[in-house]
Amino acid sequence: MMEDKGKPSPSGISVTVMMLLLGVLQVGGMHVYTPGDVEAVNGTDVRLKCTFYSSAPINPNTVVISWSFRPLKPGREESVFHYQQRPYPPPDGIFRKRVVWAGDVMGRDASIILQQVKFTYNGTYVCQVKNPPDVHGPSGEIRLRVVTTASFSELLLLALAIGGGITAVVILLIIIVSCRRCKKRRQRPRDRGEEAPRKER
């Protein structure tokens, strides 16, 4: 008997189904993304960036975002911020009146801003996002380091940015001045040509 090559074998179907199921399992679930290590100068504001991906459609009425803090020294975990339909800053504790919502739920952004950071803010910040029925998945963590002055790399980046801006302005001015000089040079022969007939009269 000849085999029907148009029909897939049962083993081929099972392999395909298994691959599809594995793909769904890998794509599905809640994923939270954070930068890892962040450095901030004492007394300045710092943005703690947290973005997320959910396999379920985003529903702003059911999304729950919570931020917590673990200090460097052994101690209890402290609530930093809570979001559920609207922001809920902490009513007491070291973060009272020091946290501002900077996220956008529909934009999959759960970021917050810490204002006027202090050395007591050194530690790990945990960002957790739930979007029912997608409520399982790892949290994002940020290790904040509060320093007295900006690091050399940050100062170097700042100097490069300022230097680049000044260089761009200088180049622009040189181009403008050069263009004006070229126009004046072109106009001089024309003016001389117009003056010659007048002298003959």
Side-chain angles (χ1 to χ4, degrees), residues 100-112:
V100 177
W101 172 248
D104 175 16
V105 172
M106 294 308 295
R108 294 172 173 78
D109 188 349
S111 304
I112 58 173

Side-chain angles (χ1 to χ4, degrees), residues 56 125 155:
Y125 294 78
L155 291 172

Side-chain angles (χ1 to χ4, degrees), residues 29-30 39 53 69 80-81 93 96 106 110 114 117 121 124 146 161 180 187-188 196:
M30 175 65 70
E39 189 176 277
Y53 166 81
F69 168 69
V80 178
F81 199 84
R96 182 175 178 267
M106 294 308 295
L114 295 181
V117 295
Y121 289 5
T124 303
V146 180
R180 286 181 178 176
Q187 285 176 355
R188 283 175 186 174

Side-chain angles (χ1 to χ4, degrees), residues 15-201:
V15 170
T16 305
V17 171
M18 286 295 292
M19 288 179 72
L20 287 170
L21 285 173
L22 285 170
V24 169
L25 289 173
Q26 288 176 356
V27 172
M30 175 65 70
H31 299 274
V32 179
Y33 307 97
T34 48
D37 295 318
V38 174
E39 189 176 277
V41 178
N42 182 40
T44 63
D45 298 350
V46 62
R47 180 188 178 95
L48 300 184
K49 189 175 181 181
C50 176
T51 56
F52 61 92
Y53 166 81
S54 176
S55 57
I58 304 297
N59 185 347
N61 297 321
T62 58
V63 170
V64 177
I65 298 166
S66 60
W67 282 86
S68 57
F69 168 69
R70 292 197 303 266
L72 290 176
K73 295 180 181 178
R76 67 182 184 89
E77 193 171 281
E78 186 170 346
S79 176
V80 178
F81 199 84
H82 185 80
Y83 183 97
Q84 190 170 3
Q85 294 187 349
R86 69 183 184 87
Y88 290 93
D92 50 25
I94 63 171
F95 297 103
R96 182 175 178 267
K97 294 184 178 180
R98 293 294 184 95
V99 190
V100 177
W101 172 248
D104 175 16
V105 172
M106 294 308 295
R108 294 172 173 78
D109 188 349
S111 304
I112 58 173
I113 292 176
L114 295 181
Q115 296 180 320
Q116 299 175 357
V117 295
K118 301 182 287 187
F119 293 111
T120 52
Y121 289 5
N122 277 313
T124 303
Y125 294 78
V126 181
C127 175
Q128 188 174 29
V129 184
K130 294 181 180 180
N131 178 40
D134 200 355
V135 296
H136 300 288
S139 303
E141 293 189 357
I142 296 175
R143 291 171 294 278
L144 178 65
R145 182 168 170 258
V146 180
V147 295
T148 52
T149 57
S151 64
F152 176 75
S153 59
E154 288 184 346
L155 291 172
L156 181 62
L157 287 172
L158 182 62
L160 288 172
I162 294 170
I166 292 170
T167 303
V169 171
V170 170
I171 291 170
L172 186 62
L173 288 172
I174 290 170
I175 292 169
I176 292 169
V177 171
S178 299
C179 290
R180 286 181 178 176
R181 285 182 178 177
C182 288
K183 285 181 180 178
K184 287 180 179 179
R185 286 176 184 174
R186 288 175 184 174
Q187 285 176 355
R188 283 175 186 174
R190 290 178 184 174
D191 294 341
R192 288 174 183 173
E194 289 175 0
E195 288 175 1
R198 289 176 184 174
K199 288 178 180 179
E200 289 175 2
R201 289 179 186 176

